[in-house]
Amino acid sequence: MPITFLIKFLNTELLTHKELTMSNVYSAMVGSYPRPAGLAKLINRFNSGKISSEDLELGYEKYTYRLLKFLTKLNIDYFTDGMLRWDDIFNPLINYVDGVKVNGLYRFYENNFFFRAPQVVGKVRLMDDCPIPQWFKKSSEILESVIKELGIKSRPVLKPVLPGPLTLAINSLNERYSNMRELIGDYVFEVLTPLIKALRDLGAQVIEIHEPELTYGRVDPGLKCYVAGLLGRISYDLKIKLWIQTYFGSASNALECFKFISNNIVGIDLVASRDDYLNYIHNFSYYDSLAVGVYDSRSTVLERSRIIRWYVAKFLKLRIGNLFIANNAPMDFIPEVIAVKKLRRLSKFTKWLKSKVGGVAR
Amino acid sequence: MISLPILPTTVIGSYPRPKWFREIIKGYKNGRYGEELLKEASDDAVVSVISDQEEVGIDIPSDGEMRRDEMVEYFAERIEGFRFYGPVRVWGNNFFRKPAVVSKITYIRPIVVDEYLFLRRHSSRPVVKVTITGPYTIADWSFNEYYNSKEELAFELAKVIGTEIKKLEEVGSLFVQVDEPALTTHPKEMDWAVQAINKAVEGVNIKVGLHVCYSNYSLLKPYFDELRVTQFALEFANRGFRDLEVVKGLSKELGFGVIDVHSRVVEEPEYVAKALFKIMEYLSPEYIYVNPDCGLKLLPRSIAKAKLRAMVEGVMIVRRELAKKGLTEIPLRNKV
């Protein structure tokens, strides 16, 4: 039978190379998880004055617990707390930045999803009362209780998430800075650096930085490399691993810049790179860490393992130190029921892959 | 020929549902009330919101889209080929049930014709507006699990939407607004997206407006002439009236968005008037309609009404100035 033969061929072709044992394989969830309907209702009730901030906080904790337990049980190795407290990748962070006003709604790239834009009216600087580090602390405590409850020995890694400086700057309405590099510099050193420091001090091992602008293709390469250089510098100076997550564009748009952050984890959107990935993936040979976004966070079509296997096999041959199998972008764009199915498939696939090629199993 | 006051005031479409109506919908959804009560309440809600609009002086009211939960959902529920998986976030804490196309798209029966007929019977105004979601936006805001491409899906939907617009024309509708907020989302798709819209309005002889909001209008501008519509209803208040130059040289009408629908602050009439004087530097007043940026449904009803009142009062300030120049009326144009 031709199909059976093809499957056998794929399995053999993909799994017998010696190189396949070179990578440690991990499963990962990047970015947001769809805000559950029950939590959305609670937020509405809070906004209309029907419940107290304490009740809302209990709600956040309940839904964070539910999500972290689900991800831990799935054996996902690296995940975020779903960004359940965030409205988009900029909010509420920009509420806690001096020099920034929260402006009107703007489209988030090519999605039917909108964000409130940062309007830069003064020198930007992080305010002292920014709660993001405390939210990470709270999520870490919840994860701790989940681990205890489930009796898990090997610990998953919880990643706090921040917007990248380029993405922040390009999506800002800049009325203060005369040039973009100056604004980016202040976002890096006055806003993100103190946050990253605080998160590191609270135990974050990896911080996920969302930089869709690196690959989206509307910024000149010089500026992208400048930003990548800054991110590399922060990582080095603060002795913290960054997970630079790109999406909505082919990784081929940022290959030059990735060199500046190659000691970190580079996240690429393979769904957006489907047409040209074979032309560029050799650039990732011998990378320390690469996260391949193969599960499409913008489609309800469920990925077939066979196809995922086909894509992933190409990366396994590149002798990448740590290969992360992940979703390609934030998951706000799909219903929760689909996100659950995709994460289950991601977990199952990675578990199978680890059994074939090694990797750190939990 | 039907005449309208100069700078006709209108709405984009949706209006806040009255609280009592929301309670009845909730009761219907959890089985406390039946179809008949829901229908009666829906009719009463439409009458209430027409009254709100007419009371503050809106020239071209809508039915407030009282019967629609959401602009894509409503159509997807009434066209064969869709299924729903659950809510998806649009912004902040706002969600919609994004449909998925799982089989062939087929027109089943009229979708908004009854809405129009009810509105026509209950409005005192000579012209009312019916809104209909455009084929590109329905395609873009749906998951496509069936067609080979989004383009193929959009053209299938264009046939369905075209059939519906012709049915509206047959029963006497004078003004249909096609809502295409997604139109500029994917610049590479705009060439065929515009053709899909044109396909939907092909052979239509009534006034057709096109509403596009929260978008990059510089991408839309090259298609102003090509799109077979009479009017572009665009959002400008949200962006602080930046980008006005985009309408310079527009050879069609502009539906000028002067009210920010995402802010609860009620605009001053003078603020509206100032914006109108500004836009008149780019476009003749005889080609300007005045509306909020977008649908008002997310606002509390009292604020929505106050905003519309401020909008009409702002228009009055400008109308008084235009009257001095003898400009008091414009014709309802089906073609420009």
Side-chain angles (χ1 to χ4, degrees):
Chain A
M1 297 291 285
I3 292 177
T4 320
F5 173 76
L6 179 65
I7 295 168
K8 272 187 185 168
F9 167 76
L10 284 174
N11 283 336
T12 314
E13 201 269 339
L14 302 181
L15 297 174
T16 56
H17 293 281
K18 277 187 205 162
E19 303 90 54
L20 303 194
T21 58
M22 299 300 291
S23 297
N24 284 319
V25 173
Y26 302 91
S27 52
M29 184 192 93
V30 301
S32 58
Y33 176 82
R35 187 178 274 172
L39 178 58
K41 265 186 204 156
L42 275 181
I43 294 170
N44 276 341
R45 287 172 62 78
F46 171 73
N47 289 341
S48 53
K50 289 179 185 151
I51 61 167
S52 67
S53 58
E54 289 78 15
D55 290 337
L56 178 63
E57 181 55 32
L58 286 175
Y60 278 126
E61 289 173 19
K62 175 183 151 191
Y63 284 96
T64 303
Y65 167 80
R66 206 181 73 168
L67 174 63
L68 298 186
K69 189 172 177 184
F70 168 65
L71 295 168
T72 306
K73 278 170 93 172
L74 280 183
N75 287 307
I76 306 285
D77 300 303
Y78 286 70
F79 48 74
T80 70
D81 65 358
M83 302 177 76
L84 298 182
R85 297 171 190 261
W86 294 68
D87 285 342
D88 50 66
I89 67 164
F90 308 119
N91 291 280
L93 168 62
I94 59 171
N95 281 293
Y96 301 99
V97 178
D98 273 330
V100 169
K101 283 188 192 168
V102 181
N103 198 272
L105 284 174
Y106 290 82
R107 191 180 294 283
F108 189 58
Y109 299 90
E110 297 179 3
N111 301 288
N112 178 30
F113 183 84
F114 299 82
F115 65 95
R116 289 228 174 253
Q119 181 185 5
V120 180
V121 294
K123 186 173 166 60
V124 301
R125 188 185 160 275
L126 187 71
M127 293 177 190
D128 294 334
D129 60 346
C130 177
I132 290 168
Q134 287 312 308
W135 293 347
F136 172 69
K137 189 173 173 225
K138 177 62 75 183
S139 294
S140 300
E141 287 165 2
I142 292 171
L143 179 59
E144 206 57 45
S145 69
V146 167
I147 289 170
K148 213 167 163 185
E149 184 189 334
L150 297 177
I152 306 278
K153 285 180 194 153
S154 159
R155 310 170 63 80
V157 175
L158 182 67
K159 302 172 288 178
V161 183
L162 295 172
L166 181 65
T167 300
L168 248 174
I170 296 293
N171 289 289
S172 293
L173 304 166
N174 175 19
E175 295 171 3
R176 162 68 163 73
Y177 289 80
S178 54
N179 79 63
M180 192 53 97
R181 286 189 184 214
E182 217 182 304
L183 173 60
I184 289 168
D186 274 359
Y187 270 140
V188 168
F189 296 110
E190 301 293 335
V191 179
L192 296 174
T193 299
L195 266 175
I196 291 171
K197 242 187 231 174
L199 290 164
R200 179 202 62 188
D201 294 346
L202 287 169
Q205 297 171 42
V206 182
I207 296 171
E208 192 174 290
I209 306 286
H210 282 224
E211 274 295 22
E213 276 303 335
L214 279 180
T215 50
Y216 186 62
R218 62 179 169 179
V219 176
D220 78 86
L223 189 61
K224 287 197 276 195
C225 289
Y226 169 73
V227 171
L230 290 176
L231 290 170
R233 189 172 140 195
I234 298 180
S235 160
Y236 180 80
D237 288 349
L238 300 183
K239 295 183 177 51
I240 181 85
K241 200 85 152 170
L242 300 180
W243 178 307
I244 319 292
Q245 184 64 39
T246 65
Y247 41 87
F248 302 155
S250 169
S252 62
N253 293 329
L255 292 171
E256 284 302 307
C257 320
F258 288 152
K259 289 176 187 163
F260 295 94
I261 45 175
S262 58
N263 288 332
N264 290 276
I265 300 162
V266 174
I268 63 167
D269 177 353
L270 199 68
V271 180
S273 306
R274 263 189 209 134
D275 297 340
D276 67 345
Y277 80 104
L278 284 175
N279 299 332
Y280 70 77
I281 59 168
H282 60 274
N283 288 279
F284 294 114
S285 296
Y286 298 100
Y287 253 49
D288 176 72
S289 300
L290 185 74
V292 186
V294 279
Y295 288 86
D296 191 351
S297 297
R298 295 197 283 181
S299 165
T300 49
V301 176
L302 298 175
E303 290 77 6
R304 292 183 189 157
S305 294
R306 210 162 60 238
I307 306 295
I308 299 292
R309 211 182 298 169
W310 173 261
Y311 284 117
V312 170
K314 310 286 181 206
F315 289 88
L316 283 170
K317 292 175 183 173
L318 300 175
R319 295 173 186 255
I320 293 162
N322 301 296
L323 186 68
F324 299 83
I325 311 297
N327 51 307
N328 64 330
M331 289 198 284
D332 278 308
F333 315 111
I334 46 176
E336 187 181 9
V337 63
I338 299 294
V340 166
K341 285 183 182 172
K342 291 202 179 221
L343 287 166
R344 285 205 172 113
R345 287 189 176 215
L346 188 160
S347 158
K348 195 174 164 194
F349 173 76
T350 317
K351 212 180 281 177
W352 171 82
L353 191 61
K354 283 175 182 175
S355 74
K356 299 289 179 193
V357 303
V360 180
R362 280 198 11 244
Chain B
M1 176 73 74
I2 295 173
S3 290
L4 294 163
I6 195 152
L7 302 175
T9 54
T10 183
V11 287
I12 287 300
S14 75
Y15 192 81
R17 282 171 165 163
K19 194 173 176 199
W20 55 265
F21 182 44
R22 293 201 305 270
E23 289 300 318
I24 287 174
I25 292 171
K26 205 158 85 189
Y28 169 76
K29 284 181 178 168
N30 63 30
R32 243 180 324 136
Y33 305 127
E35 287 279 350
E36 206 176 318
L37 184 75
L38 180 71
K39 161 99 178 47
E40 186 184 330
S42 303
D43 289 350
D44 290 350
V46 173
V47 172
S48 302
V49 304
I50 294 171
S51 159
D52 273 14
Q53 295 170 67
E54 294 192 356
E55 191 189 314
V56 299
I58 294 294
D59 301 309
I60 305 174
S62 76
D63 75 346
E65 299 179 3
M66 285 298 107
R67 301 166 212 269
R68 309 183 193 177
D69 281 341
E70 199 278 336
M71 61 183 290
V72 167
E73 255 175 64
Y74 187 79
F75 289 87
E77 280 167 345
R78 288 159 179 79
I79 298 169
E80 197 171 296
F82 288 93
R83 73 167 285 189
F84 293 88
Y85 291 110
V88 172
R89 184 142 60 151
V90 184
W91 64 274
N93 202 40
N94 297 282
F95 297 76
F96 89 113
R97 286 164 61 232
K98 184 171 175 172
V101 179
V102 295
S103 63
K104 187 172 164 47
I105 293 295
T106 313
Y107 184 85
I108 315 169
R109 65 181 78 87
I111 304 167
V112 294
V113 169
D114 285 346
E115 281 184 16
Y116 161 71
L117 291 171
F118 188 85
L119 169 64
R120 180 60 286 159
R121 279 201 302 277
H122 291 84
S123 171
S124 67
R125 302 292 195 248
V127 182
V128 296
K129 183 191 270 189
V130 187
T131 57
I132 187 160
T133 308
Y136 181 75
T137 293
I138 299 179
D140 190 54
W141 291 6
S142 300
F143 298 110
N144 177 15
E145 299 183 12
Y146 182 78
Y147 287 94
N148 288 325
S149 67
K150 196 200 292 182
E151 181 177 354
E152 195 183 335
L153 167 60
F155 276 89
E156 284 300 312
L157 286 162
K159 288 183 208 163
V160 169
I161 299 303
T163 304
E164 185 67 8
I165 297 175
K166 285 189 192 85
K167 290 206 182 293
L168 284 166
E169 185 177 354
E170 279 166 26
V171 295
S173 170
L174 298 172
F175 185 4
V176 171
Q177 177 183 282
V178 176
D179 292 333
E180 283 284 14
L183 182 55
T184 65
T185 313
H186 308 278
K188 287 178 189 161
E189 296 174 0
M190 281 191 71
D191 282 347
W192 59 256
V194 164
Q195 293 316 315
I197 296 167
N198 282 343
K199 177 91 192 153
V201 299
E202 200 171 61
V204 172
N205 295 306
I206 53 173
K207 183 177 191 65
V208 178
L210 183 72
H211 172 55
V212 184
C213 54
Y214 308 103
S215 299
N216 180 353
Y217 292 141
S218 62
L219 296 171
L220 181 64
K221 188 179 170 97
Y223 297 96
F224 277 162
D225 289 340
E226 195 176 339
L227 277 156
R228 292 185 206 137
V229 298
T230 322
Q231 181 181 110
F232 293 95
L234 308 179
E235 147 264 322
F236 283 103
N238 170 68
R239 61 186 75 201
F241 301 104
R242 283 184 283 266
D243 308 335
L244 292 183
E245 66 282 359
V246 82
V247 300
K248 200 172 180 180
L250 176 68
S251 60
K252 296 175 181 176
E253 293 171 351
L254 171 70
F256 184 44
V258 294
I259 297 291
D260 184 352
V261 303
H262 295 120
S263 160
R264 292 186 177 200
V265 178
V266 177
E267 288 81 355
E268 294 292 330
E270 292 74 18
Y271 168 89
V272 172
K274 195 176 158 195
L276 283 166
F277 284 124
K278 188 82 191 149
I279 195 66
M280 288 185 326
E281 291 172 18
Y282 297 94
L283 213 57
S284 159
E286 290 155 292
Y287 286 84
I288 299 172
Y289 280 48
V290 186
N291 43 255
D293 275 352
C294 195
L296 294 159
K297 72 171 180 184
L298 294 177
L299 292 168
R301 184 177 172 191
S302 59
I303 291 179
K305 190 173 176 184
K307 279 180 174 257
L308 288 184
R309 190 188 302 277
M311 183 178 92
V312 172
E313 286 173 3
V315 168
M316 293 302 181
I317 295 170
V318 184
R319 278 183 187 161
R320 281 194 286 275
E321 291 303 312
L322 294 173
K324 291 176 192 164
K325 297 176 190 167
L327 295 171
T328 55
E329 285 187 344
I330 60 164
L332 178 76
R333 300 180 184 95
N334 295 344
K335 288 200 166 41
V336 177

